Amino acid sequence: MKFYYISHSGIRINFYEAPYYLNDTDLLSYEWGYETENNRILSITKDASDKSLEIYVMPEFGIKNRNIVMEQATDYLSSILDADVAEKKPGRLYTDTGYYLECLFVKSEKSDWNMGINFMFNSFTLLVLRPVWIREIQYSFLAEAADPITILPGEEEPEPEITMEQGIMFPEFPFDLTVKENKKTKGLFDLPTDLKRVRGTRMINNESYLPCHFRMTIYGPVTDPEIVIANHIYKVETTVFTDERLVIDSRSNTVIKIGRLGEETDLYNSRYKLQSVFEKIPPGQQTVTWPGGYGIDITLYDERSEPRWTL
């Protein structure tokens, strides 16, 4: 299994090629905390913990000035890892299976640096506030174009969409209540079979063995967006205008609208109250339905005590 680190500022450091090689670690070990009473389990938790990571710093053989390269590599590694600590912003330690662990390198101990060879052991202690390995699975569903409408003689043309600049917007509807027949539009009550299929039906797959957290982004324009996943309603009673987006994050229990200029509005109190908008996504393949007139992104967080293995 290969490891690499990406700092909070996006700098990547590989621990599987010169000048940094992973030697030993307990990153793949884990422990649950628990509390019992009278042979009954009261609680099971997984608290912040320290992990160890030992690498050896060794420049490639055959290059000139290996001692200078050694010095530069050691200084560079320290500067990147310390910057994360100073900013109190954890980086991500990844495996080649796509899982990452958020952590800070809070301690470093060095050995074998004064043996007269271009080689050094660097043993780190990592602070892991949330000891779970995470893999993000992303889905993007674009807005579907509305079906064209034929205007029959004597009927009025539909109202045009009014944008945010005009101060109002018409809501999206979850059903298209018309069907076309012989290039004409029939009303809903002309025939019992006039109902069309619901637009906006897709599948997502939670590959975890447990219900997973998610982040859902809804792109305007839309009023009272409603998405149904595994027969559960995720709805926020608000208006999202063109070039705005609404973000529901189950991990942080937040509902935020982000405006055109990046301004944020807390819409926690506008969430649908009858069913929780923070309900985790069940394991396995799940059906996603929504009106289809606006785009949505869904990120699933596959969280595990240890990442999937590869040797």
Side-chain angles (χ1 to χ4, degrees):
M1 189 177 295
K2 295 180 179 179
F3 293 86
Y4 61 92
Y5 181 76
I6 296 183
S7 70
H8 83 275
S9 58
I11 300 174
R12 173 168 171 160
I13 301 174
N14 295 331
F15 292 139
Y16 53 83
E17 61 183 10
Y20 312 114
Y21 298 91
L22 175 67
N23 183 57
D24 193 19
T25 183
D26 65 354
L27 285 168
L28 302 178
S29 302
Y30 66 89
E31 180 180 4
W32 288 93
Y34 56 88
E35 183 180 358
T36 64
E37 183 178 291
N38 297 327
N39 296 322
R40 293 188 303 109
I41 297 176
L42 299 181
S43 65
I44 296 180
T45 59
K46 188 176 288 185
D47 301 321
S49 62
D50 290 342
K51 293 291 184 180
S52 64
L53 177 71
E54 183 180 69
I55 67 170
Y56 58 90
V57 184
M58 184 177 66
E60 292 183 90
F61 290 103
I63 64 173
K64 295 180 179 180
N65 302 320
R66 293 185 72 237
N67 59 329
I68 296 178
V69 174
M70 174 84 169
E71 295 168 359
Q72 292 175 340
T74 304
D75 289 341
Y76 178 74
L77 182 61
S78 176
S79 65
I80 299 302
L81 301 180
D82 263 7
D84 288 350
V85 176
E87 294 291 333
K88 299 179 183 178
K89 295 180 179 180
R92 294 179 174 182
L93 188 65
Y94 280 86
T95 74
D96 54 358
T97 56
Y99 289 84
Y100 65 83
L101 184 73
E102 294 182 320
C103 59
L104 288 169
F105 287 68
V106 295
K107 184 178 180 180
S108 171
E109 295 180 315
K110 299 173 176 62
S111 61
D112 294 344
W113 57 271
N114 59 348
M115 297 178 62
I117 58 176
N118 303 120
F119 176 88
M120 175 195 300
F121 277 111
N122 201 335
S123 299
F124 292 99
T125 298
L126 281 60
L127 171 61
V128 182
L129 294 176
R130 192 164 177 267
V132 292
W133 289 89
I134 303 169
R135 183 169 67 101
E136 298 181 6
I137 306 171
Q138 298 181 344
Y139 295 89
S140 292
F141 304 132
L142 300 178
E144 297 182 2
D147 294 324
I149 299 177
T150 301
I151 307 301
L152 297 178
E155 292 184 338
E156 295 183 1
E157 292 189 9
E159 294 283 350
E161 177 185 300
I162 299 179
T163 63
M164 183 172 64
E165 286 79 2
Q166 296 167 291
I168 192 171
M169 187 187 76
F170 289 100
E172 296 279 344
F173 290 95
F175 298 97
D176 184 344
L177 301 182
T178 61
V179 293
K180 287 175 285 301
E181 182 176 305
N182 297 326
K183 299 183 180 181
K184 293 185 179 181
T185 301
K186 295 176 64 65
L188 168 63
F189 301 105
D190 288 348
L191 287 174
T193 58
D194 278 349
L195 281 175
K196 294 179 59 179
R197 68 175 180 84
V198 177
R199 293 189 296 121
T201 301
R202 297 290 186 274
M203 299 296 295
I204 60 175
N205 186 19
N206 174 12
E207 299 180 13
S208 175
Y209 45 81
L210 297 172
C212 72
H213 282 293
F214 68 91
R215 179 183 175 93
M216 183 186 302
T217 303
I218 301 166
Y219 298 92
V222 58
T223 292
D224 297 342
E226 178 178 319
I227 295 90
V228 180
I229 303 177
N231 296 319
H232 185 89
I233 297 174
Y234 300 83
K235 180 179 179 179
V236 181
E237 296 170 343
T238 187
T239 295
V240 185
F241 294 103
T242 302
D243 297 329
E244 293 186 332
R245 62 188 187 274
L246 181 71
V247 180
I248 303 171
D249 195 321
S250 69
R251 295 191 299 179
S252 58
N253 275 25
T254 56
V255 181
I256 303 294
K257 184 168 74 169
I258 303 174
R260 294 179 175 181
L261 301 180
E263 68 276 15
E264 296 186 355
T265 304
D266 186 352
L267 295 180
Y268 181 84
N269 291 330
S270 298
R271 71 196 189 284
Y272 186 58
K273 304 300 193 303
L274 297 183
Q275 293 188 7
S276 173
V277 297
F278 306 122
E279 181 78 10
K280 291 182 179 181
I281 308 299
Q285 289 195 344
Q286 307 298 338
T287 301
V288 180
T289 57
W290 84 109
Y294 50 91
I296 57 175
D297 291 340
I298 300 175
T299 300
L300 304 183
Y301 297 101
D302 178 6
E303 299 181 348
R304 296 171 178 263
S305 295
E306 59 184 47
R308 289 183 182 269
W309 275 82
T310 178
L311 301 176

